[in-house]
Amino acid sequence: MHPRALVMAAALLITLPTAAAGLRDLAQAAGIHFGTAVNVEALNTDAAYAHLLAREFNLVTPENAMKFTVVHPERERYDFTQADALVAFAEAHAMQVNGHVLVWHQQLPDWLMQGQFSQDELKAILREHIQTLVTRYRGRVASWDVAAEAVGEDGQPRDTFWSRGIGPDYLALAFRWAHEADPQAHLRYNDYGGEGAGAKADGIYRIVADLRWQGVPIHGVGLQMHVSPDDAPPSKDLRANLQRLAALGLATHISEMDVMLPVPASRANLNKQAVIYRDTLKVCLAQPQCRSFSTWGTTDRYSWIPEYFPGKGAALLFGEDGQPKPVYESVRRVLRAARASKR
Ligand code: G3I
């Protein structure tokens, strides 16, 4: 073969996803990141799980490893053991990291919740917390869920430890502090239950629009998409929602998708699940500002669902044994087709 033909053949092999390519390669060719939440304890102990992560995903979010209670267990002590392990793994496998989560009302340590701090003290604590994390991983963590779940089910701002302790501008402050610590990082607001139409979706829209209008450095919105076949939003509502967020100048992300089923899962439900993932991914791929699609976990073995919703599970792309489920093939087909028509 002519040497130039050899070089071209080699280049094709490098750039074109092969039949055995993981979803990450297909997603990259389609113009989005394909992500998952990572259980770092499993990452450290289960080689098959680590292998699956590296093969299929190019974006990882620590499921718990960067949460306040894990990373900042005492006022004067941080513990980055798990967070560092995840970031190192991601770097070794050319994955982006989405830091999760800087301001949230859950998984807060006792020293903080029971500390009786003044407003100024709480501001100082939160600023130090945010800037310690963001500075540590500057240039290594590409995006941060700066704030999560700050909107209640009625669409009104949620009354939380942070809103009570600091006041309504706590969100704006958090984004500004994160931006100071890493001006290059993509800063997101992340919430559940507001993917389609309704009061909560409108509340999320209002809160991020208000931050934009104030000139706060917010760059993206994550719609979590924890759903079941009974309550998944219609595609047209998700599409309209992504569209109006994009019109604010914000990127969007499907940030924590899973589709819980009664277990053991029936074939009919596994097929419904495949359709819901497929349709959600299609809507994301059709919206140029939708930058990533992440599932909240990889195998059903490590999913949070069975603990929180007894009798439910089977929510992810891979079964407890790590084998792909019907949903995997349907996601794969959508990514292949998107690559072919290149956005
Ligand atoms: O790490 C401790 C362990 O030391 C202890 O022995 C054990 C006893 O219960 O608890 C362990 O902590 C658990 C932690 O997950 C790590 O496994 C907590 O109890 C448990 O509540 C916690 O659940 C996490 C939940 O957030 C906390 O609210 C789930 O794994 C995690 O999937 C879930 O993730 C959230 C996102 O952050 C935000 N969006 C919604 C999503 C689902 O709820």
Side-chain angles (χ1 to χ4, degrees):
M1 195 186 278
H2 189 279
R4 215 173 66 215
L6 260 179
V7 170
M8 283 175 68
L12 270 178
L13 276 177
I14 291 163
T15 53
L16 287 183
T18 63
L23 298 177
R24 61 180 286 169
D25 305 292
L26 298 172
Q28 187 180 351
I32 64 167
H33 275 87
F34 199 79
T36 184
V38 174
N39 177 326
V40 177
E41 281 160 22
L43 176 66
N44 289 333
T45 53
D46 180 342
Y49 173 74
H51 180 74
L52 195 54
L53 292 176
R55 192 182 76 205
E56 301 289 347
F57 302 95
N58 58 6
L59 168 64
V60 285
T61 297
E63 183 171 2
N64 290 297
M66 287 186 183
K67 287 177 178 169
F68 211 122
T69 191
V70 177
V71 96
H72 197 170
E74 292 168 37
R75 186 165 183 185
E76 305 300 338
R77 184 169 72 86
Y78 286 84
D79 181 350
F80 292 110
T81 316
Q82 290 201 0
D84 284 354
L86 177 69
V87 174
F89 177 79
E91 286 177 337
H93 296 92
M95 298 159 136
Q96 247 187 32
V97 181
N98 173 59
H100 175 90
V101 48
L102 298 172
V103 186
W104 192 34
H105 57 283
Q106 291 190 35
Q107 284 184 290
L108 296 174
D110 289 346
W111 69 262
L112 179 62
M113 300 282 281
Q114 288 155 23
Q116 309 289 336
F117 297 111
S118 70
Q119 183 191 42
D120 281 347
E121 284 171 326
L122 271 184
K123 278 188 189 174
I125 288 168
L126 184 59
R127 180 179 193 158
E128 188 226 72
H129 176 82
I130 289 175
Q131 297 199 327
T132 300
L133 267 74
V134 177
T135 302
R136 181 180 184 87
Y137 297 111
R138 184 166 46 210
R140 302 174 72 199
V141 166
S143 64
W144 284 95
D145 288 335
V146 174
E149 302 172 12
V151 176
E153 306 314 313
D154 58 359
Q156 297 308 307
R158 194 191 286 273
D159 180 45
T160 70
F161 175 81
W162 295 115
S163 68
R164 283 191 298 278
I166 294 183
D169 63 342
Y170 77 102
L171 289 175
L173 289 169
F175 278 93
R176 291 190 197 285
W177 291 332
H179 186 64
E180 265 173 31
D182 184 356
Q184 306 304 320
H186 178 84
L187 304 182
R188 325 194 311 189
Y189 174 78
N190 182 35
D191 213 330
Y192 69 91
E195 295 84 8
K200 186 149 183 188
D202 292 346
I204 293 168
Y205 177 81
R206 277 195 303 274
I207 226 167
V208 299
D210 185 50
L211 291 169
R212 286 285 292 164
W213 291 328
Q214 288 179 56
V216 170
I218 173 172
H219 311 118
V221 176
L223 299 176
Q224 295 182 11
M225 208 66 193
H226 293 291
V227 298
S228 75
D230 301 330
D231 63 12
S235 286
K236 69 171 184 16
D237 292 346
L238 175 62
R239 190 176 303 120
N241 213 8
L242 292 185
Q243 181 55 45
R244 70 174 170 171
L245 291 167
L248 290 173
L250 293 165
T252 51
H253 307 265
I254 302 299
S255 56
E256 302 189 5
M257 185 156 182
D258 49 24
V259 180
M260 70 169 98
L261 304 175
V263 284
S266 65
R267 175 57 56 175
N269 271 334
L270 287 168
N271 290 339
K272 281 187 195 167
Q273 176 182 64
V275 169
I276 296 168
Y277 270 98
R278 180 197 73 192
D279 290 351
T280 305
L281 180 57
K282 275 187 175 173
V283 173
C284 174
L285 286 164
Q287 165 51 251
Q289 293 311 317
C290 188
R291 303 277 177 77
S292 72
F293 181 100
S294 291
T295 57
W296 201 242
T298 303
T299 71
D300 291 333
R301 178 167 177 201
Y302 299 117
S303 165
W304 69 292
I305 296 284
E307 183 191 336
Y308 281 78
F309 298 91
K312 301 282 173 65
L316 296 164
L317 301 191
F318 299 89
E320 303 216 356
D321 56 1
Q323 292 305 308
K325 293 159 58 186
V327 56
Y328 177 84
E329 258 321 305
S330 78
V331 162
R332 197 175 171 84
R333 267 198 299 274
V334 174
L335 290 173
R336 266 193 186 288
R339 180 191 129 229
S341 64
K342 187 68 182 165
R343 301 194 295 160

CSV table of all heavy atoms in Angstrom, one decimal, residues 39 41 62-64 67 70 100-101 104 106-107 148-149 190 192 224 226 256 258 296 302-304 307-308, ligand 1:
chain,number,residue,atom,x,y,z
A,39,ASN,N,-19.6,6.0,41.6
A,39,ASN,CA,-19.5,5.5,43.0
A,39,ASN,C,-18.0,5.2,43.2
A,39,ASN,O,-17.5,4.2,42.7
A,39,ASN,CB,-20.3,4.3,43.2
A,39,ASN,CG,-20.3,3.7,44.5
A,39,ASN,OD1,-19.2,3.7,45.2
A,39,ASN,ND2,-21.3,3.1,45.0
A,41,GLU,N,-16.3,4.3,45.9
A,41,GLU,CA,-15.9,3.1,46.6
A,41,GLU,C,-15.9,1.9,45.6
A,41,GLU,O,-15.0,1.1,45.7
A,41,GLU,CB,-16.9,2.8,47.7
A,41,GLU,CG,-16.7,3.7,48.9
A,41,GLU,CD,-17.9,3.9,49.9
A,41,GLU,OE1,-18.8,3.0,49.8
A,41,GLU,OE2,-17.9,4.8,50.6
A,62,PRO,N,-18.9,12.8,40.4
A,62,PRO,CA,-18.8,12.0,41.7
A,62,PRO,C,-20.2,12.0,42.3
A,62,PRO,O,-20.8,13.0,42.6
A,62,PRO,CB,-17.8,12.8,42.6
A,62,PRO,CG,-17.8,14.2,42.0
A,62,PRO,CD,-18.1,14.1,40.6
A,63,GLU,N,-20.7,10.7,42.5
A,63,GLU,CA,-22.1,10.6,43.0
A,63,GLU,C,-22.2,11.2,44.4
A,63,GLU,O,-23.2,11.8,44.8
A,63,GLU,CB,-22.5,9.1,43.0
A,63,GLU,CG,-23.9,8.9,43.5
A,63,GLU,CD,-24.4,7.5,43.3
A,63,GLU,OE1,-23.7,6.7,42.8
A,63,GLU,OE2,-25.6,7.3,43.6
A,64,ASN,N,-21.1,11.0,45.2
A,64,ASN,CA,-21.1,11.5,46.6
A,64,ASN,C,-19.8,12.1,47.0
A,64,ASN,O,-19.7,12.8,48.0
A,64,ASN,CB,-21.5,10.4,47.6
A,64,ASN,CG,-23.0,10.0,47.5
A,64,ASN,OD1,-23.9,10.8,47.7
A,64,ASN,ND2,-23.2,8.7,47.1
A,67,LYS,N,-19.4,15.8,47.9
A,67,LYS,CA,-20.4,16.5,48.7
A,67,LYS,C,-19.9,17.0,50.1
A,67,LYS,O,-18.8,16.5,50.6
A,67,LYS,CB,-21.6,15.5,49.0
A,67,LYS,CG,-22.4,15.3,47.7
A,67,LYS,CD,-23.5,14.3,47.8
A,67,LYS,CE,-24.3,14.2,46.5
A,67,LYS,NZ,-25.2,13.0,46.6
A,70,VAL,N,-18.8,14.7,52.9
A,70,VAL,CA,-17.7,13.8,52.6
A,70,VAL,C,-16.3,14.5,52.6
A,70,VAL,O,-15.3,14.1,53.2
A,70,VAL,CB,-17.9,13.1,51.2
A,70,VAL,CG1,-16.7,12.2,50.9
A,70,VAL,CG2,-19.2,12.3,51.2
A,100,HIS,N,-19.5,18.0,41.8
A,100,HIS,CA,-20.9,17.9,42.3
A,100,HIS,C,-20.9,17.8,43.9
A,100,HIS,O,-20.3,16.8,44.3
A,100,HIS,CB,-21.6,16.7,41.7
A,100,HIS,CG,-23.0,16.4,42.2
A,100,HIS,ND1,-24.1,17.0,41.6
A,100,HIS,CD2,-23.4,15.6,43.2
A,100,HIS,CE1,-25.2,16.5,42.2
A,100,HIS,NE2,-24.8,15.7,43.2
A,101,VAL,N,-21.4,18.6,44.7
A,101,VAL,CA,-22.1,19.8,44.4
A,101,VAL,C,-21.7,20.8,45.5
A,101,VAL,O,-21.5,20.4,46.6
A,101,VAL,CB,-23.7,19.5,44.4
A,101,VAL,CG1,-24.0,18.6,45.6
A,101,VAL,CG2,-24.5,20.7,44.4
A,104,TRP,N,-25.9,22.7,48.4
A,104,TRP,CA,-27.0,21.8,48.4
A,104,TRP,C,-27.5,21.7,49.8
A,104,TRP,O,-26.7,21.9,50.8
A,104,TRP,CB,-26.6,20.4,47.9
A,104,TRP,CG,-27.7,19.5,47.5
A,104,TRP,CD1,-28.9,19.8,47.0
A,104,TRP,CD2,-27.6,18.0,47.6
A,104,TRP,NE1,-29.6,18.6,46.8
A,104,TRP,CE2,-28.9,17.6,47.1
A,104,TRP,CE3,-26.7,17.1,48.1
A,104,TRP,CZ2,-29.2,16.2,47.1
A,104,TRP,CZ3,-27.0,15.8,48.1
A,104,TRP,CH2,-28.2,15.3,47.6
A,106,GLN,N,-28.7,19.0,51.2
A,106,GLN,CA,-28.6,17.6,51.8
A,106,GLN,C,-27.1,17.3,52.0
A,106,GLN,O,-26.2,17.9,51.4
A,106,GLN,CB,-29.2,16.6,50.8
A,106,GLN,CG,-30.7,16.7,50.7
A,106,GLN,CD,-31.3,15.5,50.0
A,106,GLN,OE1,-30.8,14.4,50.1
A,106,GLN,NE2,-32.3,15.8,49.3
A,107,GLN,N,-26.9,16.3,52.8
A,107,GLN,CA,-25.5,15.8,53.0
A,107,GLN,C,-24.6,16.9,53.6
A,107,GLN,O,-23.5,17.0,53.1
A,107,GLN,CB,-24.9,15.0,51.8
A,107,GLN,CG,-25.6,13.6,51.7
A,107,GLN,CD,-25.0,12.8,50.5
A,107,GLN,OE1,-25.2,13.1,49.4
A,107,GLN,NE2,-24.2,11.8,50.9
A,148,ALA,N,-27.7,23.1,43.6
A,148,ALA,CA,-28.7,22.1,43.2
A,148,ALA,C,-29.9,22.2,44.0
A,148,ALA,O,-29.9,22.5,45.2
A,148,ALA,CB,-28.1,20.7,43.3
A,149,GLU,N,-31.1,22.0,43.4
A,149,GLU,CA,-32.4,21.8,44.0
A,149,GLU,C,-32.8,22.9,44.9
A,149,GLU,O,-33.3,22.7,46.0
A,149,GLU,CB,-32.3,20.4,44.8
A,149,GLU,CG,-31.9,19.3,43.7
A,149,GLU,CD,-31.6,17.9,44.3
A,149,GLU,OE1,-31.9,17.7,45.5
A,149,GLU,OE2,-31.1,17.1,43.6
A,190,ASN,N,-28.4,22.9,38.9
A,190,ASN,CA,-28.9,21.5,38.6
A,190,ASN,C,-30.1,21.2,39.4
A,190,ASN,O,-30.1,21.4,40.7
A,190,ASN,CB,-27.7,20.6,39.0
A,190,ASN,CG,-27.9,19.1,38.7
A,190,ASN,OD1,-28.6,18.8,37.8
A,190,ASN,ND2,-27.4,18.3,39.6
A,192,TYR,N,-34.1,18.7,39.7
A,192,TYR,CA,-34.9,17.6,39.3
A,192,TYR,C,-36.4,18.0,39.2
A,192,TYR,O,-36.8,19.0,39.7
A,192,TYR,CB,-34.8,16.4,40.3
A,192,TYR,CG,-35.4,16.6,41.6
A,192,TYR,CD1,-36.8,16.3,41.8
A,192,TYR,CD2,-34.7,17.2,42.6
A,192,TYR,CE1,-37.4,16.6,43.1
A,192,TYR,CE2,-35.3,17.5,43.9
A,192,TYR,CZ,-36.6,17.1,44.1
A,192,TYR,OH,-37.2,17.4,45.3
A,224,GLN,N,-32.1,17.0,35.7
A,224,GLN,CA,-31.6,15.7,36.2
A,224,GLN,C,-32.3,14.5,35.5
A,224,GLN,O,-31.6,13.6,35.2
A,224,GLN,CB,-31.8,15.6,37.7
A,224,GLN,CG,-31.0,16.6,38.5
A,224,GLN,CD,-31.2,16.6,40.0
A,224,GLN,OE1,-31.7,15.6,40.5
A,224,GLN,NE2,-30.6,17.6,40.7
A,226,HIS,N,-34.6,12.2,36.8
A,226,HIS,CA,-34.9,11.0,37.5
A,226,HIS,C,-36.4,10.7,37.3
A,226,HIS,O,-37.3,11.4,37.9
A,226,HIS,CB,-34.7,11.2,39.0
A,226,HIS,CG,-33.2,11.5,39.3
A,226,HIS,ND1,-32.3,10.5,39.2
A,226,HIS,CD2,-32.6,12.6,39.8
A,226,HIS,CE1,-31.1,11.0,39.6
A,226,HIS,NE2,-31.2,12.2,39.9
A,256,GLU,N,-28.6,13.8,35.2
A,256,GLU,CA,-28.6,12.6,36.2
A,256,GLU,C,-29.6,11.6,35.8
A,256,GLU,O,-30.3,11.0,36.6
A,256,GLU,CB,-29.0,13.1,37.6
A,256,GLU,CG,-28.0,14.2,38.2
A,256,GLU,CD,-28.3,14.5,39.6
A,256,GLU,OE1,-29.1,13.8,40.3
A,256,GLU,OE2,-27.6,15.4,40.2
A,258,ASP,N,-32.0,8.6,35.1
A,258,ASP,CA,-32.3,7.2,35.3
A,258,ASP,C,-33.8,7.0,35.2
A,258,ASP,O,-34.6,8.0,35.3
A,258,ASP,CB,-31.7,6.6,36.6
A,258,ASP,CG,-32.0,7.4,37.9
A,258,ASP,OD1,-33.0,8.2,37.9
A,258,ASP,OD2,-31.3,7.3,38.9
A,296,TRP,N,-27.4,8.6,36.1
A,296,TRP,CA,-27.0,8.7,37.5
A,296,TRP,C,-26.6,7.3,38.0
A,296,TRP,O,-27.3,6.6,38.7
A,296,TRP,CB,-28.1,9.3,38.3
A,296,TRP,CG,-27.6,9.9,39.6
A,296,TRP,CD1,-27.9,9.4,40.9
A,296,TRP,CD2,-26.6,10.9,39.8
A,296,TRP,NE1,-27.2,10.2,41.8
A,296,TRP,CE2,-26.4,11.1,41.2
A,296,TRP,CE3,-25.9,11.7,38.9
A,296,TRP,CZ2,-25.5,12.0,41.7
A,296,TRP,CZ3,-25.0,12.7,39.4
A,296,TRP,CH2,-24.8,12.8,40.8
A,302,TYR,N,-25.1,-0.6,41.5
A,302,TYR,CA,-24.7,0.5,42.4
A,302,TYR,C,-25.7,1.7,42.4
A,302,TYR,O,-25.4,2.7,42.9
A,302,TYR,CB,-23.3,1.0,42.1
A,302,TYR,CG,-22.2,-0.1,42.2
A,302,TYR,CD1,-21.5,-0.5,41.1
A,302,TYR,CD2,-21.9,-0.6,43.4
A,302,TYR,CE1,-20.5,-1.5,41.2
A,302,TYR,CE2,-21.0,-1.6,43.6
A,302,TYR,CZ,-20.3,-2.0,42.4
A,302,TYR,OH,-19.3,-3.0,42.6
A,303,SER,N,-26.8,1.5,41.8
A,303,SER,CA,-27.8,2.6,41.7
A,303,SER,C,-28.4,3.0,43.1
A,303,SER,O,-28.6,2.1,44.0
A,303,SER,CB,-28.9,2.1,40.8
A,303,SER,OG,-30.0,3.0,40.9
A,304,TRP,N,-28.7,4.2,43.3
A,304,TRP,CA,-29.3,4.7,44.5
A,304,TRP,C,-30.7,4.3,44.7
A,304,TRP,O,-31.3,4.4,45.8
A,304,TRP,CB,-29.1,6.3,44.6
A,304,TRP,CG,-30.0,7.0,43.6
A,304,TRP,CD1,-29.9,6.9,42.2
A,304,TRP,CD2,-31.2,7.7,43.9
A,304,TRP,NE1,-30.9,7.7,41.6
A,304,TRP,CE2,-31.7,8.2,42.6
A,304,TRP,CE3,-31.8,8.1,45.0
A,304,TRP,CZ2,-32.9,9.0,42.5
A,304,TRP,CZ3,-33.0,8.9,44.9
A,304,TRP,CH2,-33.5,9.3,43.7
A,307,GLU,N,-32.4,1.7,47.4
A,307,GLU,CA,-32.4,2.1,48.8
A,307,GLU,C,-33.5,3.2,49.1
A,307,GLU,O,-34.1,3.2,50.1
A,307,GLU,CB,-31.0,2.7,49.1
A,307,GLU,CG,-30.8,3.1,50.6
A,307,GLU,CD,-29.6,4.0,50.8
A,307,GLU,OE1,-28.6,3.9,50.0
A,307,GLU,OE2,-29.6,4.7,51.8
A,308,TYR,N,-33.7,4.0,48.1
A,308,TYR,CA,-34.7,5.1,48.3
A,308,TYR,C,-36.1,4.8,47.9
A,308,TYR,O,-37.0,5.4,48.4
A,308,TYR,CB,-34.2,6.4,47.5
A,308,TYR,CG,-33.1,7.1,48.2
A,308,TYR,CD1,-31.8,6.7,48.2
A,308,TYR,CD2,-33.4,8.3,49.0
A,308,TYR,CE1,-30.8,7.3,48.9
A,308,TYR,CE2,-32.4,9.0,49.7
A,308,TYR,CZ,-31.1,8.5,49.6
A,308,TYR,OH,-30.1,9.1,50.3
B,1,G3I,O1,-21.0,7.0,53.3
B,1,G3I,C1,-21.9,6.6,54.3
B,1,G3I,C2,-21.4,5.4,55.0
B,1,G3I,O2,-20.2,5.8,55.7
B,1,G3I,C3,-22.5,5.0,56.0
B,1,G3I,O3,-22.1,3.8,56.7
B,1,G3I,C4,-23.8,4.7,55.3
B,1,G3I,C5,-24.9,4.3,56.2
B,1,G3I,O4,-26.2,4.7,55.7
B,1,G3I,O5,-24.2,5.9,54.6
B,1,G3I,C6,-23.2,6.3,53.6
B,1,G3I,O6,-23.7,7.4,53.0
B,1,G3I,C7,-24.7,7.3,52.1
B,1,G3I,C8,-24.2,7.9,50.8
B,1,G3I,O7,-25.3,7.9,49.8
B,1,G3I,C9,-23.0,7.2,50.2
B,1,G3I,O8,-23.4,5.9,49.9
B,1,G3I,C10,-26.0,8.0,52.6
B,1,G3I,O9,-26.5,7.3,53.7
B,1,G3I,C11,-27.0,8.1,51.5
B,1,G3I,O10,-28.1,8.8,51.9
B,1,G3I,C12,-26.4,8.7,50.2
B,1,G3I,O11,-27.3,8.8,49.2
B,1,G3I,C13,-27.0,9.6,48.1
B,1,G3I,C14,-28.0,10.8,48.0
B,1,G3I,O12,-27.8,11.6,46.9
B,1,G3I,C15,-27.9,11.6,49.3
B,1,G3I,O13,-28.9,12.5,49.4
B,1,G3I,C16,-27.1,8.8,46.9
B,1,G3I,O14,-26.0,7.8,46.9
B,1,G3I,C17,-26.9,9.7,45.6
B,1,G3I,O15,-27.2,8.9,44.5
B,1,G3I,C18,-27.9,10.8,45.7
B,1,G3I,O16,-27.6,11.7,44.6
B,1,G3I,C19,-28.5,12.8,44.4
B,1,G3I,C20,-27.7,13.9,43.8
B,1,G3I,O17,-26.6,14.2,44.6
B,1,G3I,C21,-28.6,15.2,43.6
B,1,G3I,N1,-29.7,14.9,42.8
B,1,G3I,C22,-30.5,13.8,43.2
B,1,G3I,C23,-29.7,12.5,43.4
B,1,G3I,C24,-30.5,11.3,43.8
B,1,G3I,O18,-31.1,11.5,45.1
